[in-house]
Amino acid sequence: RHLWETRGLPFPGAAILANGIPEGFAAQVAASDEAARALRARFNLGDGPVALFLGRLHERKGLQYLIPAFVNAHSAHPAARLLIAGPDAGMRAQAEALARQSGIAEPVVFAGMLEGEDRLAALRAADVFALPAVGEGLSMAALEAMAAGLALVLTPGCNLPELDARGAGLTVARDADALAGALAALLGDDARRTQMGERGRAWVAEAFTWPAIAAQSEQVYHEAMNPDSRRARR
């Protein structure tokens, strides 16, 4: 839209279709209780609330904001842990240094790449999913976290603008203070996290499973072949 507008041309319209989540994904996560307990023990996560970062360790994903934010939130919730899972894309050393410099390196856990059952277990073990990224088309990790029933803390660059209106999480500025406030609010409120998780799971079932995406795709093709029906619907 921006490209067309810079050339002074009317935008011809476009349909945006998301990627989908397999219908059985939520059930897979829900069935990972034993693996989640084992993962908590393996990484010494304790019994407190866990904030999960799941993605590449890259500057674009925002760990340079998330770690200081968690340090601030941790002062109010000392039993909380931040689990950072994903492959190093050039930022692990810097992120580990940030955790050490904070003076609370132990509650910030670097798990490396988690795949298969371990990835499901991490989603099951977590309570909040945090991704302060920029330049996301639409984060699959965020959709999976919603399907898993987690409350989300995202930044505008994650491109999930309905998150707050849907009541499934919080969208905040990409800075440590804003992130700290959101994390502190959710880490300390079990009922709010549960409510957000339920709303997020329902949203995924409604709009982001493959049958839902297929139905949306079919509607786009129908309207392309029948312009009158599109005008009538508008």
Side-chain angles (χ1 to χ4, degrees):
R1 183 180 288 112
H2 177 70
L3 181 63
W4 282 74
E5 288 173 353
T6 59
R7 283 153 177 75
L9 299 172
F11 183 58
I16 299 175
L17 299 175
N19 285 321
I21 299 295
E23 284 185 286
F25 185 80
Q28 285 182 299
V29 175
S32 299
D33 282 341
E34 185 175 343
R37 287 191 291 270
L39 183 134
R40 273 185 172 262
R42 189 199 323 169
F43 293 111
N44 298 314
L45 298 178
D47 297 322
V50 173
L52 173 66
F53 170 94
L54 188 62
R56 293 183 301 117
L57 276 59
H58 186 280
E59 186 278 336
R60 186 172 66 78
K61 300 290 186 175
L63 284 175
Q64 66 273 34
Y65 303 102
L66 180 59
I67 291 173
F70 177 77
V71 170
N72 291 339
H74 183 266
S75 62
H77 305 289
R81 298 291 182 268
L82 172 61
L83 179 61
I84 297 173
D88 185 14
M91 199 180 173
R92 177 157 180 166
Q94 179 185 345
E96 289 178 332
L98 274 174
R100 286 194 303 271
Q101 291 162 11
S102 72
I104 60 161
E106 184 178 347
V108 180
V109 179
F110 290 85
M113 180 72 170
L114 297 180
E115 299 180 285
E117 186 67 21
D118 281 343
R119 182 171 64 95
L120 298 177
L123 288 165
R124 185 62 171 171
D127 300 281
V128 176
F129 175 83
L131 182 64
V134 292
E136 298 286 302
L138 174 59
S139 168
M140 291 302 297
L143 295 184
E144 289 179 349
M146 281 203 301
L150 301 184
L152 271 56
V153 175
L154 303 181
T155 47
C158 291
N159 287 312
L160 203 59
E162 292 182 56
L163 180 69
D164 299 76
R166 288 277 185 164
L170 302 174
T171 305
V172 298
R174 196 175 186 245
D175 66 64
D177 289 342
L179 288 162
L183 288 172
L186 295 184
L187 290 172
D189 194 333
D190 292 355
R192 190 179 184 191
R193 292 197 309 265
T194 298
Q195 187 178 61
M196 284 182 168
E198 290 172 350
R199 289 172 175 170
R201 190 186 290 116
W203 185 17
V204 168
E206 171 195 331
F208 295 112
T209 60
W210 281 117
I213 302 303
Q216 294 168 31
S217 301
E218 184 176 0
Q219 182 64 30
V220 168
Y221 280 103
H222 175 77
E223 292 182 354
M225 293 185 293
N226 300 276
D228 290 340
S229 68
R230 181 177 59 212
R231 284 192 290 270
R233 191 162 67 91
R234 288 177 178 172

Short mmCIF file of all heavy atoms in Angstrom, two decimals, residues 120-166:
data_model
loop_
_atom_site.label_atom_id
_atom_site.label_comp_id
_atom_site.label_asym_id
_atom_site.label_seq_id
_atom_site.Cartn_x
_atom_site.Cartn_y
_atom_site.Cartn_z
N LEU A 120 7.65 -28.54 22.36
CA LEU A 120 6.31 -28.64 22.94
C LEU A 120 6.36 -28.51 24.45
O LEU A 120 5.52 -27.84 25.07
CB LEU A 120 5.67 -29.98 22.56
CG LEU A 120 5.44 -30.24 21.07
CD1 LEU A 120 4.87 -31.64 20.85
CD2 LEU A 120 4.50 -29.21 20.45
N ALA A 121 7.38 -29.13 25.06
CA ALA A 121 7.51 -29.07 26.52
C ALA A 121 7.78 -27.65 26.99
O ALA A 121 7.27 -27.22 28.04
CB ALA A 121 8.64 -30.00 26.97
N ALA A 122 8.58 -26.90 26.23
CA ALA A 122 8.86 -25.51 26.61
C ALA A 122 7.58 -24.67 26.58
O ALA A 122 7.33 -23.85 27.48
CB ALA A 122 9.90 -24.91 25.67
N LEU A 123 6.75 -24.88 25.57
CA LEU A 123 5.48 -24.16 25.49
C LEU A 123 4.55 -24.56 26.64
O LEU A 123 3.83 -23.73 27.19
CB LEU A 123 4.81 -24.42 24.15
CG LEU A 123 5.47 -23.76 22.94
CD1 LEU A 123 4.97 -24.38 21.64
CD2 LEU A 123 5.22 -22.25 22.94
N ARG A 124 4.58 -25.83 27.00
CA ARG A 124 3.73 -26.31 28.09
C ARG A 124 4.23 -25.80 29.45
O ARG A 124 3.43 -25.50 30.34
CB ARG A 124 3.70 -27.84 28.09
CG ARG A 124 2.75 -28.46 29.11
CD ARG A 124 1.33 -28.05 28.83
NE ARG A 124 0.38 -28.79 29.66
CZ ARG A 124 -0.91 -28.51 29.75
NH1 ARG A 124 -1.42 -27.49 29.06
NH2 ARG A 124 -1.72 -29.23 30.52
N ALA A 125 5.54 -25.70 29.59
CA ALA A 125 6.11 -25.28 30.87
C ALA A 125 6.00 -23.78 31.09
O ALA A 125 6.05 -23.31 32.24
CB ALA A 125 7.59 -25.69 30.93
N ALA A 126 5.85 -23.01 30.01
CA ALA A 126 5.87 -21.55 30.12
C ALA A 126 4.51 -20.99 30.53
O ALA A 126 3.48 -21.67 30.47
CB ALA A 126 6.30 -20.94 28.80
N ASP A 127 4.53 -19.74 30.96
CA ASP A 127 3.31 -19.03 31.36
C ASP A 127 3.07 -17.79 30.49
O ASP A 127 1.93 -17.38 30.30
CB ASP A 127 3.42 -18.60 32.82
CG ASP A 127 3.60 -19.78 33.75
OD1 ASP A 127 2.60 -20.45 34.04
OD2 ASP A 127 4.74 -20.07 34.15
N VAL A 128 4.14 -17.19 30.01
CA VAL A 128 4.07 -15.98 29.18
C VAL A 128 5.03 -16.17 28.01
O VAL A 128 6.13 -16.70 28.19
CB VAL A 128 4.47 -14.72 29.98
CG1 VAL A 128 4.48 -13.49 29.07
CG2 VAL A 128 3.53 -14.49 31.16
N PHE A 129 4.60 -15.74 26.83
CA PHE A 129 5.49 -15.75 25.66
C PHE A 129 5.83 -14.30 25.34
O PHE A 129 4.94 -13.45 25.21
CB PHE A 129 4.78 -16.39 24.46
CG PHE A 129 5.58 -16.33 23.18
CD1 PHE A 129 6.56 -17.26 22.92
CD2 PHE A 129 5.35 -15.32 22.25
CE1 PHE A 129 7.30 -17.21 21.75
CE2 PHE A 129 6.08 -15.25 21.08
CZ PHE A 129 7.07 -16.20 20.83
N ALA A 130 7.12 -14.01 25.20
CA ALA A 130 7.57 -12.63 24.95
C ALA A 130 8.42 -12.58 23.68
O ALA A 130 9.38 -13.34 23.54
CB ALA A 130 8.37 -12.11 26.14
N LEU A 131 8.08 -11.66 22.78
CA LEU A 131 8.84 -11.48 21.55
C LEU A 131 8.85 -10.00 21.17
O LEU A 131 7.93 -9.51 20.52
CB LEU A 131 8.23 -12.31 20.41
CG LEU A 131 8.96 -12.25 19.07
CD1 LEU A 131 10.35 -12.84 19.18
CD2 LEU A 131 8.17 -12.97 17.99
N PRO A 132 9.90 -9.27 21.57
CA PRO A 132 9.99 -7.85 21.23
C PRO A 132 10.70 -7.62 19.89
O PRO A 132 11.73 -6.97 19.80
CB PRO A 132 10.79 -7.27 22.40
CG PRO A 132 11.68 -8.40 22.82
CD PRO A 132 10.95 -9.67 22.52
N ALA A 133 10.13 -8.17 18.82
CA ALA A 133 10.79 -8.19 17.53
C ALA A 133 10.34 -7.03 16.64
O ALA A 133 9.33 -6.37 16.89
CB ALA A 133 10.53 -9.51 16.82
N VAL A 134 11.12 -6.81 15.59
CA VAL A 134 10.71 -5.93 14.49
C VAL A 134 10.81 -6.73 13.20
O VAL A 134 11.54 -7.72 13.12
CB VAL A 134 11.61 -4.67 14.38
CG1 VAL A 134 11.39 -3.75 15.56
CG2 VAL A 134 13.08 -5.05 14.25
N GLY A 135 10.05 -6.30 12.20
CA GLY A 135 10.19 -6.91 10.88
C GLY A 135 9.61 -8.29 10.74
O GLY A 135 9.95 -9.02 9.81
N GLU A 136 8.71 -8.68 11.65
CA GLU A 136 8.05 -9.97 11.51
C GLU A 136 6.93 -9.84 10.47
O GLU A 136 6.18 -8.86 10.48
CB GLU A 136 7.44 -10.42 12.83
CG GLU A 136 8.46 -10.63 13.94
CD GLU A 136 9.26 -11.90 13.77
OE1 GLU A 136 8.66 -12.99 13.70
OE2 GLU A 136 10.51 -11.80 13.69
N GLY A 137 6.81 -10.82 9.58
CA GLY A 137 5.63 -10.85 8.73
C GLY A 137 4.43 -11.18 9.61
O GLY A 137 3.53 -10.38 9.82
N LEU A 138 4.44 -12.35 10.15
CA LEU A 138 3.54 -12.78 11.21
C LEU A 138 4.26 -13.91 11.91
O LEU A 138 4.56 -14.94 11.30
CB LEU A 138 2.19 -13.25 10.67
CG LEU A 138 1.23 -13.84 11.70
CD1 LEU A 138 0.91 -12.84 12.80
CD2 LEU A 138 -0.05 -14.32 11.04
N SER A 139 4.56 -13.73 13.17
CA SER A 139 5.38 -14.68 13.91
C SER A 139 4.66 -16.01 14.10
O SER A 139 3.63 -16.08 14.76
CB SER A 139 5.76 -14.11 15.27
OG SER A 139 6.32 -15.11 16.10
N MET A 140 5.22 -17.09 13.54
CA MET A 140 4.66 -18.41 13.76
C MET A 140 4.83 -18.82 15.21
O MET A 140 3.99 -19.51 15.78
CB MET A 140 5.34 -19.43 12.84
CG MET A 140 5.01 -19.24 11.37
SD MET A 140 3.23 -19.34 11.03
CE MET A 140 2.91 -21.03 11.51
N ALA A 141 5.94 -18.40 15.83
CA ALA A 141 6.15 -18.72 17.24
C ALA A 141 5.06 -18.11 18.10
O ALA A 141 4.58 -18.73 19.05
CB ALA A 141 7.53 -18.22 17.69
N ALA A 142 4.63 -16.88 17.76
CA ALA A 142 3.55 -16.24 18.51
C ALA A 142 2.24 -16.98 18.33
O ALA A 142 1.48 -17.18 19.29
CB ALA A 142 3.41 -14.78 18.07
N LEU A 143 1.95 -17.42 17.11
CA LEU A 143 0.72 -18.18 16.88
C LEU A 143 0.75 -19.50 17.63
O LEU A 143 -0.25 -19.93 18.23
CB LEU A 143 0.53 -18.43 15.38
CG LEU A 143 0.29 -17.22 14.49
CD1 LEU A 143 0.03 -17.66 13.05
CD2 LEU A 143 -0.85 -16.36 15.00
N GLU A 144 1.90 -20.18 17.61
CA GLU A 144 2.02 -21.44 18.34
C GLU A 144 1.85 -21.21 19.84
O GLU A 144 1.24 -22.03 20.54
CB GLU A 144 3.35 -22.10 18.03
CG GLU A 144 3.45 -22.64 16.62
CD GLU A 144 4.78 -23.28 16.30
OE1 GLU A 144 5.73 -23.12 17.10
OE2 GLU A 144 4.88 -23.93 15.24
N ALA A 145 2.41 -20.12 20.34
CA ALA A 145 2.27 -19.81 21.77
C ALA A 145 0.81 -19.56 22.13
O ALA A 145 0.34 -20.00 23.19
CB ALA A 145 3.12 -18.60 22.13
N MET A 146 0.08 -18.88 21.27
CA MET A 146 -1.35 -18.69 21.53
C MET A 146 -2.09 -20.02 21.49
O MET A 146 -2.95 -20.28 22.34
CB MET A 146 -1.96 -17.72 20.51
CG MET A 146 -1.67 -16.27 20.78
SD MET A 146 -2.89 -15.16 20.02
CE MET A 146 -2.73 -15.58 18.29
N ALA A 147 -1.76 -20.86 20.51
CA ALA A 147 -2.40 -22.17 20.44
C ALA A 147 -2.12 -22.99 21.69
O ALA A 147 -2.95 -23.80 22.12
CB ALA A 147 -1.91 -22.92 19.20
N ALA A 148 -0.95 -22.76 22.29
CA ALA A 148 -0.57 -23.46 23.51
C ALA A 148 -1.21 -22.87 24.76
O ALA A 148 -1.04 -23.40 25.85
CB ALA A 148 0.95 -23.45 23.66
N GLY A 149 -1.93 -21.76 24.60
CA GLY A 149 -2.63 -21.16 25.73
C GLY A 149 -1.80 -20.20 26.55
O GLY A 149 -2.11 -19.95 27.72
N LEU A 150 -0.76 -19.61 25.96
CA LEU A 150 0.08 -18.65 26.68
C LEU A 150 -0.41 -17.23 26.46
O LEU A 150 -0.88 -16.87 25.38
CB LEU A 150 1.53 -18.76 26.22
CG LEU A 150 2.23 -20.10 26.39
CD1 LEU A 150 3.69 -19.99 25.99
CD2 LEU A 150 2.12 -20.60 27.81
N ALA A 151 -0.26 -16.40 27.48
CA ALA A 151 -0.45 -14.97 27.32
C ALA A 151 0.76 -14.41 26.58
O ALA A 151 1.89 -14.84 26.82
CB ALA A 151 -0.59 -14.30 28.68
N LEU A 152 0.54 -13.44 25.69
CA LEU A 152 1.61 -12.92 24.85
C LEU A 152 2.00 -11.50 25.25
O LEU A 152 1.14 -10.69 25.61
CB LEU A 152 1.19 -12.92 23.38
CG LEU A 152 1.49 -14.18 22.55
CD1 LEU A 152 0.88 -15.41 23.18
CD2 LEU A 152 0.99 -14.00 21.12
N VAL A 153 3.29 -11.22 25.14
CA VAL A 153 3.80 -9.85 25.21
C VAL A 153 4.57 -9.62 23.91
O VAL A 153 5.63 -10.22 23.69
CB VAL A 153 4.73 -9.63 26.42
CG1 VAL A 153 5.34 -8.22 26.38
CG2 VAL A 153 3.97 -9.84 27.73
N LEU A 154 4.02 -8.76 23.05
CA LEU A 154 4.60 -8.52 21.74
C LEU A 154 4.85 -7.03 21.54
O LEU A 154 4.34 -6.20 22.29
CB LEU A 154 3.67 -9.02 20.63
CG LEU A 154 3.24 -10.49 20.65
CD1 LEU A 154 2.34 -10.79 19.45
CD2 LEU A 154 4.45 -11.42 20.65
N THR A 155 5.62 -6.73 20.51
CA THR A 155 5.82 -5.35 20.07
C THR A 155 5.10 -5.16 18.73
O THR A 155 4.74 -6.14 18.07
CB THR A 155 7.32 -5.04 19.93
OG1 THR A 155 7.96 -6.11 19.22
CG2 THR A 155 7.97 -4.91 21.30
N PRO A 156 4.87 -3.91 18.31
CA PRO A 156 4.13 -3.69 17.07
C PRO A 156 4.74 -4.37 15.86
O PRO A 156 4.02 -4.76 14.93
CB PRO A 156 4.13 -2.16 16.93
CG PRO A 156 4.22 -1.66 18.35
CD PRO A 156 5.11 -2.64 19.04
N GLY A 157 6.07 -4.55 15.87
CA GLY A 157 6.75 -5.17 14.73
C GLY A 157 6.43 -6.64 14.55
O GLY A 157 6.84 -7.24 13.56
N CYS A 158 5.69 -7.22 15.50
CA CYS A 158 5.26 -8.62 15.34
C CYS A 158 4.02 -8.73 14.46
O CYS A 158 3.61 -9.84 14.09
CB CYS A 158 5.00 -9.25 16.70
SG CYS A 158 6.49 -9.49 17.69
N ASN A 159 3.41 -7.59 14.16
CA ASN A 159 2.29 -7.54 13.21
C ASN A 159 1.12 -8.43 13.60
O ASN A 159 0.60 -9.21 12.80
CB ASN A 159 2.77 -7.88 11.79
CG ASN A 159 3.58 -6.75 11.19
OD1 ASN A 159 3.18 -5.60 11.24
ND2 ASN A 159 4.74 -7.07 10.66
N LEU A 160 0.70 -8.30 14.86
CA LEU A 160 -0.51 -8.96 15.32
C LEU A 160 -1.39 -7.90 15.98
O LEU A 160 -1.60 -7.89 17.19
CB LEU A 160 -0.17 -10.08 16.30
CG LEU A 160 -1.18 -11.21 16.48
CD1 LEU A 160 -1.47 -11.91 15.15
CD2 LEU A 160 -0.70 -12.21 17.51
N PRO A 161 -1.90 -6.95 15.18
CA PRO A 161 -2.54 -5.75 15.74
C PRO A 161 -3.81 -6.01 16.53
O PRO A 161 -4.23 -5.16 17.32
CB PRO A 161 -2.82 -4.89 14.50
CG PRO A 161 -2.86 -5.85 13.37
CD PRO A 161 -1.88 -6.92 13.70
N GLU A 162 -4.45 -7.16 16.35
CA GLU A 162 -5.69 -7.44 17.08
C GLU A 162 -5.44 -8.06 18.45
O GLU A 162 -6.39 -8.35 19.18
CB GLU A 162 -6.56 -8.39 16.26
CG GLU A 162 -7.12 -7.81 14.98
CD GLU A 162 -8.01 -8.83 14.27
OE1 GLU A 162 -8.98 -9.32 14.88
OE2 GLU A 162 -7.71 -9.14 13.10
N LEU A 163 -4.19 -8.24 18.83
CA LEU A 163 -3.87 -8.97 20.05
C LEU A 163 -4.56 -8.38 21.27
O LEU A 163 -5.21 -9.10 22.05
CB LEU A 163 -2.36 -8.98 20.27
CG LEU A 163 -1.86 -9.71 21.51
CD1 LEU A 163 -2.09 -11.20 21.38
CD2 LEU A 163 -0.39 -9.41 21.76
N ASP A 164 -4.45 -7.07 21.47
CA ASP A 164 -5.02 -6.44 22.65
C ASP A 164 -6.54 -6.45 22.60
O ASP A 164 -7.19 -6.75 23.62
CB ASP A 164 -4.50 -5.01 22.78
CG ASP A 164 -2.99 -4.96 22.93
OD1 ASP A 164 -2.28 -5.15 21.93
OD2 ASP A 164 -2.53 -4.75 24.06
N ALA A 165 -7.11 -6.15 21.44
CA ALA A 165 -8.56 -6.15 21.32
C ALA A 165 -9.15 -7.53 21.56
O ALA A 165 -10.24 -7.67 22.11
CB ALA A 165 -8.97 -5.64 19.93
N ARG A 166 -8.41 -8.54 21.19
CA ARG A 166 -8.85 -9.92 21.40
C ARG A 166 -8.65 -10.36 22.86
O ARG A 166 -9.13 -11.41 23.26
CB ARG A 166 -8.06 -10.86 20.49
CG ARG A 166 -8.46 -10.76 19.03
CD ARG A 166 -9.67 -11.60 18.75
NE ARG A 166 -10.01 -11.62 17.32
CZ ARG A 166 -10.83 -12.51 16.77
NH1 ARG A 166 -11.39 -13.44 17.52
NH2 ARG A 166 -11.10 -12.46 15.49
#
